[in-house]
């Protein structure tokens, strides 16, 4: 549903279970966006990503959300971790979980791993960036992975849209440096 179902104004904090059904369509949009921006080589589809996100958020029994933006920002972070965990599990299984693995043509293996390598590199760069400034990571997750506008991010973070744009530019600069290493 849309923001009209869950208002952006603070009310009693709600759990993921309470919010999930009302924001399912938006979560599917978020999942499509996440898969299009680096998760497409994971063999996950939109429904699988949304379902796994729900299960992880449901396990967080103490997670409470004041508004739609807070919930969606948390969901964007959770989706990023779901994709990275899936990539890592798939690699471990494909490599035999420690057993010796021989490849007949190393070029084929490199092509298959490229998208996963990119997603994992971005994830690791975001982890490093979180040590520098966690707010920058939140802006990246909401804008890049979640498809939020500057104004929506500003409302969720309690800052101005101009501050969001500055954070976005700083994050992009730092990430490009981290990814170039």
């Amino acid at each position: 549903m849309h923001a009209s179902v869950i208002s952006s104004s603070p009310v009693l904090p709600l759990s993921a279970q309470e919010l999930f059904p009302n924001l399912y369509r938006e979560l599917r949009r978020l999942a499509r966006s996440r898969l299009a921006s680096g998760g497409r080589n994971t063999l996950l589809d939109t429904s699988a990503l949304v379902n796994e996100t729900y299960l992880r958020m449901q396990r967080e029994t103490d997670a409470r959300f004041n508004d739609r933006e807070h919930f969606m920002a948390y969901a964007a972070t959770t989706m990023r971790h779901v994709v990275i965990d899936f990539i890592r599990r798939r690699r471990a299984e494909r490599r035999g979980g420690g057993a010796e693995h021989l490849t007949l043509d190393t070029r084929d293996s490199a092509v298959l791993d490229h998208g996963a390598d990119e997603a994992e590199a971005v994830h690791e760069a975001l982890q490093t960036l979180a040590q520098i400034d966690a707010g920058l990571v939140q802006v990246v997750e909401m804008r890049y992975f979640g498809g939020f506008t500057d104004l929506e991010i500003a409302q969720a973070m309690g800052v101005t849209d101009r501050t969001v744009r500055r954070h976005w530019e700083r994050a992009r600069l730092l990430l490009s440096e981290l990814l170039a290493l």
Side-chain angles (χ1 to χ4, degrees):
M1 306 268 160
H2 297 348
S4 61
V5 173
I6 303 297
S7 81
S8 294
S9 61
V11 292
L12 294 175
L14 299 172
S15 69
Q17 280 182 299
E18 294 166 316
L19 290 169
F20 205 89
N22 292 328
L23 295 171
Y24 186 77
R25 283 188 191 171
E26 287 190 62
L27 288 167
R28 286 187 56 83
R29 178 189 56 81
L30 178 62
R32 274 192 302 277
S33 169
R34 178 62 202 108
L35 291 172
S37 63
R40 60 187 156 270
N41 293 322
T42 66
L43 300 179
L44 278 172
D45 64 15
T46 301
S47 295
L49 182 54
V50 171
N51 292 339
E52 182 62 29
T53 298
Y54 173 72
L55 292 174
R56 286 199 188 187
M57 291 176 76
Q58 188 177 28
R59 279 182 251 158
E60 296 286 328
T61 56
D62 59 341
R64 307 295 284 178
F65 307 98
N66 293 323
D67 53 35
R68 174 192 158 278
E69 287 81 12
H70 183 208
F71 175 81
M72 294 300 288
Y74 191 87
T77 300
T78 303
M79 282 184 188
R80 183 181 70 145
H81 290 283
V82 167
V83 169
I84 293 301
D85 290 348
F86 186 87
I87 288 169
R88 288 177 177 162
R89 270 193 317 273
R90 194 175 102 211
R91 280 185 178 166
E93 289 170 8
R94 191 170 53 209
R95 292 189 176 129
E100 186 177 347
H101 179 71
L102 300 175
T103 304
L104 296 177
D105 188 349
T106 58
R107 287 177 292 149
D108 293 340
S109 177
V111 169
L112 290 173
D113 279 343
H114 177 69
D117 288 342
E118 184 178 310
E120 196 163 12
V122 170
H123 174 71
E124 289 170 5
L126 285 172
Q127 287 180 318
T128 303
L129 184 60
Q131 295 171 359
I132 298 168
D133 188 338
L136 297 179
V137 174
Q138 188 176 12
V139 168
V140 171
E141 288 174 338
M142 292 177 77
R143 183 173 176 163
Y144 184 74
F145 296 112
F148 282 77
T149 66
D150 290 345
L151 190 56
E152 289 171 326
I153 297 169
Q155 289 171 344
M157 294 180 69
V159 297
T160 66
D161 57 331
R162 184 174 176 195
T163 299
V164 170
R165 284 191 296 277
R166 280 197 314 268
H167 284 346
W168 173 248
E169 289 304 318
R170 182 167 182 238
R172 283 181 45 203
L173 176 66
L174 291 170
L175 284 173
S176 67
E177 290 175 10
L178 290 169
L179 291 169
L181 297 178

